[in-house]
Short mmCIF file of all heavy atoms in Angstrom, two decimals:
data_model
loop_
_atom_site.label_atom_id
_atom_site.label_comp_id
_atom_site.label_asym_id
_atom_site.label_seq_id
_atom_site.Cartn_x
_atom_site.Cartn_y
_atom_site.Cartn_z
N VAL E 145 30.27 4.17 -34.51
CA VAL E 145 29.49 2.94 -34.59
C VAL E 145 28.08 3.15 -34.07
O VAL E 145 27.09 2.70 -34.63
CB VAL E 145 30.14 1.78 -33.81
CG1 VAL E 145 29.32 0.49 -33.83
CG2 VAL E 145 31.53 1.47 -34.35
N ALA E 146 27.96 3.90 -32.94
CA ALA E 146 26.70 4.14 -32.31
C ALA E 146 25.71 4.85 -33.24
O ALA E 146 24.51 4.75 -33.09
CB ALA E 146 26.85 4.89 -31.02
N ARG E 147 26.23 5.66 -34.19
CA ARG E 147 25.35 6.44 -35.08
C ARG E 147 24.83 5.68 -36.28
O ARG E 147 24.11 6.19 -37.08
CB ARG E 147 26.11 7.71 -35.56
CG ARG E 147 26.33 8.76 -34.51
CD ARG E 147 26.69 10.09 -35.09
NE ARG E 147 27.98 10.04 -35.78
CZ ARG E 147 29.15 10.37 -35.25
NH1 ARG E 147 29.17 10.76 -33.97
NH2 ARG E 147 30.25 10.32 -35.92
N ARG E 148 25.20 4.42 -36.37
CA ARG E 148 24.73 3.58 -37.44
C ARG E 148 23.23 3.26 -37.23
O ARG E 148 22.83 3.13 -36.05
CB ARG E 148 25.52 2.34 -37.55
CG ARG E 148 26.99 2.53 -38.02
CD ARG E 148 27.79 1.27 -37.96
NE ARG E 148 29.22 1.52 -38.31
CZ ARG E 148 30.18 0.63 -38.16
NH1 ARG E 148 29.87 -0.59 -37.67
NH2 ARG E 148 31.40 0.90 -38.51
N PRO E 149 22.42 3.12 -38.26
CA PRO E 149 20.97 2.92 -38.07
C PRO E 149 20.67 1.68 -37.14
O PRO E 149 19.74 1.74 -36.39
CB PRO E 149 20.50 2.68 -39.51
CG PRO E 149 21.47 3.45 -40.37
CD PRO E 149 22.79 3.31 -39.69
N ARG E 150 21.47 0.63 -37.33
CA ARG E 150 21.19 -0.55 -36.54
C ARG E 150 21.28 -0.26 -35.02
O ARG E 150 20.41 -0.66 -34.25
CB ARG E 150 22.20 -1.66 -36.91
CG ARG E 150 22.14 -2.87 -36.03
CD ARG E 150 23.32 -3.78 -36.28
NE ARG E 150 23.30 -4.91 -35.37
CZ ARG E 150 24.31 -5.77 -35.21
NH1 ARG E 150 25.45 -5.61 -35.95
NH2 ARG E 150 24.24 -6.79 -34.37
N TRP E 151 22.38 0.45 -34.65
CA TRP E 151 22.55 0.75 -33.25
C TRP E 151 21.66 1.80 -32.75
O TRP E 151 21.29 1.83 -31.54
CB TRP E 151 24.04 1.09 -33.00
CG TRP E 151 24.94 -0.09 -33.25
CD1 TRP E 151 25.80 -0.24 -34.29
CD2 TRP E 151 25.01 -1.27 -32.49
NE1 TRP E 151 26.43 -1.47 -34.21
CE2 TRP E 151 25.99 -2.13 -33.09
CE3 TRP E 151 24.38 -1.72 -31.31
CZ2 TRP E 151 26.30 -3.34 -32.59
CZ3 TRP E 151 24.74 -2.97 -30.81
CH2 TRP E 151 25.70 -3.77 -31.44
N ILE E 152 21.22 2.72 -33.60
CA ILE E 152 20.21 3.72 -33.20
C ILE E 152 18.93 3.00 -32.87
O ILE E 152 18.22 3.32 -31.93
CB ILE E 152 20.06 4.80 -34.30
CG1 ILE E 152 21.32 5.64 -34.39
CG2 ILE E 152 18.87 5.62 -33.99
CD1 ILE E 152 21.28 6.65 -35.49
N ALA E 153 18.54 2.04 -33.73
CA ALA E 153 17.33 1.30 -33.50
C ALA E 153 17.40 0.47 -32.20
O ALA E 153 16.40 0.44 -31.41
CB ALA E 153 17.02 0.35 -34.67
N LEU E 154 18.54 -0.13 -31.91
CA LEU E 154 18.71 -0.89 -30.70
C LEU E 154 18.69 0.05 -29.46
O LEU E 154 18.19 -0.29 -28.43
CB LEU E 154 20.02 -1.68 -30.71
CG LEU E 154 20.02 -2.92 -31.62
CD1 LEU E 154 21.34 -3.59 -31.62
CD2 LEU E 154 18.91 -3.91 -31.13
N LEU E 155 19.22 1.31 -29.65
CA LEU E 155 19.13 2.22 -28.56
C LEU E 155 17.69 2.64 -28.23
O LEU E 155 17.29 2.73 -27.07
CB LEU E 155 19.92 3.51 -28.91
CG LEU E 155 19.84 4.68 -27.87
CD1 LEU E 155 20.38 4.26 -26.55
CD2 LEU E 155 20.55 5.93 -28.42
N GLY E 156 16.89 2.80 -29.29
CA GLY E 156 15.47 3.08 -29.07
C GLY E 156 14.80 1.98 -28.31
O GLY E 156 13.98 2.20 -27.39
N LEU E 157 15.11 0.71 -28.69
CA LEU E 157 14.53 -0.43 -28.00
C LEU E 157 14.98 -0.46 -26.55
O LEU E 157 14.15 -0.72 -25.61
CB LEU E 157 14.96 -1.71 -28.69
CG LEU E 157 14.47 -3.04 -28.03
CD1 LEU E 157 12.96 -3.08 -28.00
CD2 LEU E 157 15.04 -4.25 -28.75
N ALA E 158 16.25 -0.15 -26.27
CA ALA E 158 16.75 -0.18 -24.91
C ALA E 158 16.10 0.90 -24.07
O ALA E 158 15.75 0.66 -22.90
CB ALA E 158 18.26 0.04 -24.91
N LEU E 159 15.84 2.07 -24.70
CA LEU E 159 15.16 3.16 -23.93
C LEU E 159 13.70 2.78 -23.65
O LEU E 159 13.21 3.14 -22.58
CB LEU E 159 15.25 4.43 -24.77
CG LEU E 159 16.65 5.07 -24.89
CD1 LEU E 159 16.57 6.28 -25.81
CD2 LEU E 159 17.20 5.42 -23.54
N VAL E 160 13.04 2.07 -24.54
CA VAL E 160 11.68 1.63 -24.29
C VAL E 160 11.64 0.67 -23.13
O VAL E 160 10.82 0.78 -22.22
CB VAL E 160 11.05 1.02 -25.56
CG1 VAL E 160 9.71 0.33 -25.23
CG2 VAL E 160 10.83 2.08 -26.63
N VAL E 161 12.58 -0.31 -23.17
CA VAL E 161 12.61 -1.29 -22.06
C VAL E 161 12.95 -0.57 -20.76
O VAL E 161 12.38 -0.87 -19.72
CB VAL E 161 13.72 -2.35 -22.41
CG1 VAL E 161 13.93 -3.26 -21.17
CG2 VAL E 161 13.28 -3.20 -23.61
#
Side-chain angles (χ1 to χ4, degrees):
V145 176
R147 289 197 295 267
R148 294 172 183 171
R150 173 192 176 190
W151 294 108
I152 291 176
L154 286 177
L155 175 61
L157 177 61
L159 292 176
V160 169
V161 172

